[in-house]
Amino acid sequence: MAYKVPFIDPKLHYQNLKAEIDGAIQDCLCNGDLIYRHQLREFEKDLAEFVGVKYAVGLNSGYHALLFALMGIGVGPGDEVITVAHTFVATVSAIIHCGATPILIDVAPDYNIDADRIEAAITPRTKALLPVHLNGRVAAMDQIMSIARRHRISVVEDAAQALGATFNGQMAGSMGAAGCFSFYPFKVLGGFGDGGSLTTNDPQVAQMASRLRYNGEDRETGEYHYHGQTALLDNVQAAVLSVKLRHLPVWLKHRRGVAERYRRGLSGINNLALPHFPETGQWDIFQNYVIRTRARDRLREYLREAGVETLVHWPKPMWEHRGLGLKNPGLPETEAICREVISLPMSAETTFEQVDYTTGQIREFFSRRGPDRS
């Protein structure tokens, strides 16, 4: 159906940048710059500078960034990696594909890893912590890094949803041994297909990822160092992402403005939790604007009928997907979140008028239900 308020509007997004994007693509095609050309190298340089690290390695997905980051710090069979279950499955799949065991712990009220639960999960086999900066909010990295130093274990940041978010002035993806980003089309910085990047200050991690992405080959010498994978970020995608990266600071400011508009429109509704948490060092960029209510499913249907498109991340806990072979770790907060959260329209193109319509519909829904009903 055609929504009055779409979750995102990729057609409008393209139209707003058409001249710049078409020029970048045409430059690649007219010059035959298709694989590993200067556009990719320039994008990597600009991304590294934006994140505040020495190296960025362009990859074809956020999953490969996670996989290569873990491999780069030596995660392998017999190791354990502590992370969360309230995340996209790629976070856990990367651990498993290293031959390691994911140790899933619960999340805090802001949907990020509950740092107070980390130390209880550490064993002699713990090789790394893998916090997920969900919805554009950085996890409690001061506490996480302190724990990691104390136990001499590495930290890999899943920053797929947090490009541009900061903690105490440091960018997501710049604090651990490596940061992992996704350029899936609906991210704050999205391509016209899949894509990702690993960021790091460690030259060995960067070199390993650079080789692994190209079937294990060192492109400068032609020597093969590993049985690698085909995971290079396409050159044309890199050119498009370079265009978009120049606009990203303005888009992030707009997202925070949209989030504030939602806050004003939705404050004071009983039994509705908003994603405005104490910014104890965090500067959130609102990849998703996630509200929480026990009436989630009924609210979502009401909004659909009113022409407002929403998404749910994720409708059931990861371990309930039997094909993944995960044991139930007993995480009550994760289970409750899966039942209760809903993401509202949020993008660089979302207008205040669309926000006002959406908040008006939500207020109407709750007014019909009465003040004390969950």
Side-chain angles (χ1 to χ4, degrees):
M1 63 179 290
Y3 286 96
K4 184 172 183 177
V5 184
F7 190 76
I8 64 166
D9 192 340
K11 291 185 291 185
L12 179 59
H13 183 75
Y14 169 62
Q15 288 298 325
N16 288 341
L17 298 171
K18 187 177 188 306
E20 292 178 79
I21 288 174
D22 288 357
I25 294 173
Q26 186 177 43
D27 179 65
C28 289
L29 299 184
C30 288
N31 290 288
D33 292 332
L34 302 181
I35 302 293
Y36 194 62
R37 293 296 186 264
H38 71 90
Q39 292 89 347
L40 174 57
R41 293 189 288 271
E42 289 168 6
F43 171 66
E44 291 173 329
K45 177 179 177 295
D46 292 343
L47 180 65
E49 182 178 340
F50 181 85
V51 175
V53 295
K54 294 179 180 177
Y55 310 101
V57 181
L59 303 166
N60 69 356
S61 70
Y63 160 76
H64 280 98
L66 290 160
L67 178 66
F68 294 168
L70 292 172
M71 294 174 67
I73 62 170
V75 173
D79 294 331
E80 295 176 348
V81 178
I82 297 172
T83 191
V84 295
H86 187 58
T87 180
F88 183 54
V89 67
T91 309
V92 173
S93 296
I95 297 170
I96 289 175
H97 286 156
C98 285
T101 300
I103 304 300
L104 306 180
I105 65 175
D106 223 337
V107 293
D110 67 353
Y111 311 123
N112 281 332
I113 190 168
D114 188 342
D116 291 336
R117 297 176 181 270
I118 291 175
E119 287 196 277
I122 293 175
T123 74
R125 292 197 222 176
T126 304
K127 184 74 173 184
L129 306 179
L130 181 47
V132 180
H133 306 322
L134 203 65
N135 300 321
R137 178 177 172 85
V138 179
M141 288 301 290
D142 53 350
Q143 190 176 352
I144 291 168
M145 295 304 295
S146 177
I147 293 170
R149 286 191 294 269
R150 191 159 58 248
H151 292 272
R152 298 183 179 180
I153 52 182
S154 297
V155 174
V156 170
E157 300 173 65
D158 183 340
Q161 294 190 4
L163 181 60
T166 64
F167 187 92
N168 289 341
Q170 286 186 271
M171 284 279 186
S174 71
M175 291 167 273
C180 306
F181 294 96
S182 168
F183 304 132
Y184 185 74
F186 302 157
K187 294 292 193 291
V188 293
L189 183 69
F192 290 149
D194 220 333
S197 180
L198 178 153
T199 56
T200 184
N201 286 311
D202 188 327
Q204 293 182 329
V205 172
Q207 183 185 66
M208 186 175 187
S210 296
R211 291 170 173 173
L212 284 169
R213 69 179 176 177
Y214 210 88
N215 301 291
E217 181 185 4
D218 186 320
R219 294 291 291 161
E220 302 301 321
T221 66
E223 183 71 17
Y224 287 89
H225 295 266
Y226 318 100
H227 288 287
Q229 300 189 26
T230 303
L232 183 70
L233 178 64
D234 288 340
N235 203 68
V236 173
Q237 293 288 358
V240 170
L241 291 167
S242 284
V243 169
K244 293 189 176 188
L245 184 59
R246 295 195 291 269
H247 295 272
L248 185 59
V250 173
W251 294 342
L252 298 183
K253 182 178 179 180
H254 177 71
R255 282 176 175 269
R256 285 178 62 88
V258 169
E260 177 60 18
R261 191 81 169 200
Y262 273 128
R263 186 190 68 78
R264 293 178 185 178
L266 297 175
S267 292
I269 299 177
N270 289 334
N271 303 309
L272 182 69
L274 306 181
H276 297 274
F277 309 104
E279 292 193 343
T280 51
Q282 290 98 336
W283 189 82
D284 301 347
I285 55 94
F286 296 95
Q287 162 68 52
N288 301 305
Y289 192 86
V290 179
I291 62 175
R292 186 173 179 180
T293 171
R294 292 182 181 178
R296 189 269 306 282
D297 293 341
R298 292 185 291 276
L299 173 60
R300 191 179 189 204
E301 177 59 22
Y302 185 89
L303 290 175
R304 188 192 69 80
E305 292 177 355
V308 178
E309 185 179 17
T310 62
L311 292 181
V312 172
H313 304 94
W314 292 266
K316 66 180 181 180
M318 191 182 300
W319 61 84
E320 289 188 6
H321 295 273
R322 294 184 179 180
L324 298 178
L326 300 172
K327 295 181 180 179
N328 185 339
L331 307 179
E333 183 68 5
T334 296
E335 291 180 346
I337 287 170
C338 288
R339 294 191 299 267
E340 298 172 3
V341 295
I342 178 175
S343 297
L344 302 182
M346 169 65 82
S347 72
E349 291 69 45
T350 302
T351 67
F352 284 175
E353 291 77 15
Q354 290 173 327
V355 172
D356 292 345
Y357 178 78
T358 300
T359 57
Q361 292 299 316
I362 293 172
R363 282 196 168 277
E364 178 67 19
F365 171 82
F366 280 97
S367 69
R368 292 184 179 186
R369 293 180 58 78
D372 298 321
R373 295 184 65 186
S374 62

